[in-house]
């Protein structure tokens, strides 16, 4: 089987059967198409069973060297390749896993910096005193972020249908299509 045909099958699989988010599907497809382009540009076979670990390692070297991509982004591409290879093995499109033994480059794990309680109180005091046109909206948004653990993308995508005024909760359509419920904040 050719790589491009297997990529199409895999993308359908993660989109339909695995129900991955649109962003995840797009990212996986982009990563795999980049690998296909790399193989084609370097005169390598795009037959699945002819892809080697050495080609995968050269692809990683290309990403880090020529494209100057950060290790975290390269790790995502490796993860995409590994998921793809695993799928191809299960579907019997592939005899041997060309990603087996491939190590991810080390990343600089940056620890998040959190606001102290004092800093948070200062922010809330400032927001409560503000008199701009969007003051109340900004105050509510920051309080929701600080007290619920919402992601920024979840906050900006909130719609009225997610607000339950009777039970005083907000339904959060989270990552992986999981729903969570957060109580209102009374101030």
């Amino acid at each position: 089987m050719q790589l491009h045909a297997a990529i199409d099958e895999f993308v359908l699989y993660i989109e339909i059967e695995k129900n991955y988010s649109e962003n995840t599907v797009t990212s996986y497809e982009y990563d795999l198409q980049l690998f296909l382009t790399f193989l084609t540009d370097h005169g390598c076979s795009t037959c699945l069973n002819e892809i080697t670990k050495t080609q995968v390692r050269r692809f990683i070297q290309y990403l880090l060297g020529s494209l100057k991509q950060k290790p975290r982004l390269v790790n995502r591409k490796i993860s995409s390749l590994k998921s793809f290879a695993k799928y191809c093995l299960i579907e019997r499109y592939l005899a041997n896993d060309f990603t087996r033994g491939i190590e991810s480059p080390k990343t600089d794990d940056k620890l998040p910096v959190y606001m102290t309680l004092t800093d948070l109180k200062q922010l809330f005091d400032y927001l409560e005193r503000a008199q701009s046109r969007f003051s109340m909206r900004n105050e509510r948004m920051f309080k929701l972020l600080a007290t619920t653990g919402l992601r920024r993308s979840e906050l900006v995508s909130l719609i009225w249908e997610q607000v339950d005024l009777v039970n005083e909760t907000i339904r959060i359509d989270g990552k992986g299509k999981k729903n969570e419920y957060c109580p209102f904040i009374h101030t």
Side-chain angles (χ1 to χ4, degrees):
M1 175 175 252
Q2 289 295 312
L3 181 58
H4 66 86
I7 290 171
D8 290 344
E9 294 290 325
F10 177 69
V11 169
L12 277 174
Y13 168 73
I14 62 173
E15 187 175 20
I16 309 284
E17 292 182 42
K18 295 298 266 182
N19 200 23
Y20 282 6
S21 75
E22 184 180 335
N23 287 342
T24 302
V25 171
T26 301
S27 296
Y28 274 54
E29 185 173 19
Y30 174 81
D31 296 344
L32 296 170
Q33 290 294 340
L34 186 62
F35 181 60
L36 174 62
T37 302
F38 170 81
L39 292 176
T40 304
D41 289 351
H42 289 84
C44 301
S45 172
T46 58
C47 178
L48 268 179
N49 282 310
E50 293 176 17
I51 298 172
T52 66
K53 283 185 207 178
T54 301
Q55 291 166 331
V56 175
R57 286 188 177 109
R58 291 201 193 289
F59 176 61
I60 295 167
Q61 184 180 30
Y62 166 75
L63 295 173
L64 291 168
S66 299
L67 296 186
K68 305 259 189 264
Q69 292 190 351
K70 303 260 187 237
R72 181 164 294 187
L73 189 56
V74 173
N75 286 344
R76 190 198 76 199
K77 288 175 176 37
I78 293 169
S79 177
S80 297
L81 278 172
K82 286 185 176 194
S83 294
F84 172 70
K86 182 179 175 184
Y87 165 80
C88 288
L89 286 167
I90 291 168
E91 293 296 320
R92 298 183 192 212
Y93 299 153
L94 189 60
N96 295 305
D97 184 354
F98 55 81
T99 64
R100 189 167 172 228
I102 297 292
E103 299 285 328
S104 298
K106 291 187 179 187
T107 59
D108 294 333
D109 292 331
K110 294 179 182 174
L111 295 175
V113 177
Y114 297 101
M115 294 180 78
T116 65
L117 191 53
T118 305
D119 292 339
L120 203 53
K121 285 180 181 177
Q122 273 185 322
L123 175 64
F124 288 168
D125 288 344
Y126 169 78
L127 291 169
E128 288 168 6
R129 288 191 313 271
Q131 296 296 316
S132 75
R133 180 176 165 197
F134 299 109
S135 297
M136 185 182 291
R137 179 205 64 181
N138 294 344
E139 177 189 350
R140 298 294 182 233
M141 286 174 64
F142 277 99
K143 286 184 175 180
L144 269 172
L145 286 170
T147 60
T148 63
L150 275 175
R151 292 177 178 87
R152 181 184 59 207
S153 61
E154 294 167 346
L155 175 66
V156 297
S157 66
L158 279 177
I159 56 174
W160 279 111
E161 285 76 20
Q162 291 173 258
V163 178
D164 182 346
L165 296 172
V166 174
N167 293 314
E168 295 185 337
T169 59
I170 301 171
R171 186 188 78 241
I172 308 303
D173 299 331
K175 199 170 183 180
K177 301 187 176 147
K178 295 176 186 161
N179 292 333
E180 295 179 23
Y181 294 87
C182 295
F184 283 164
I185 305 162
H186 292 286
T187 55

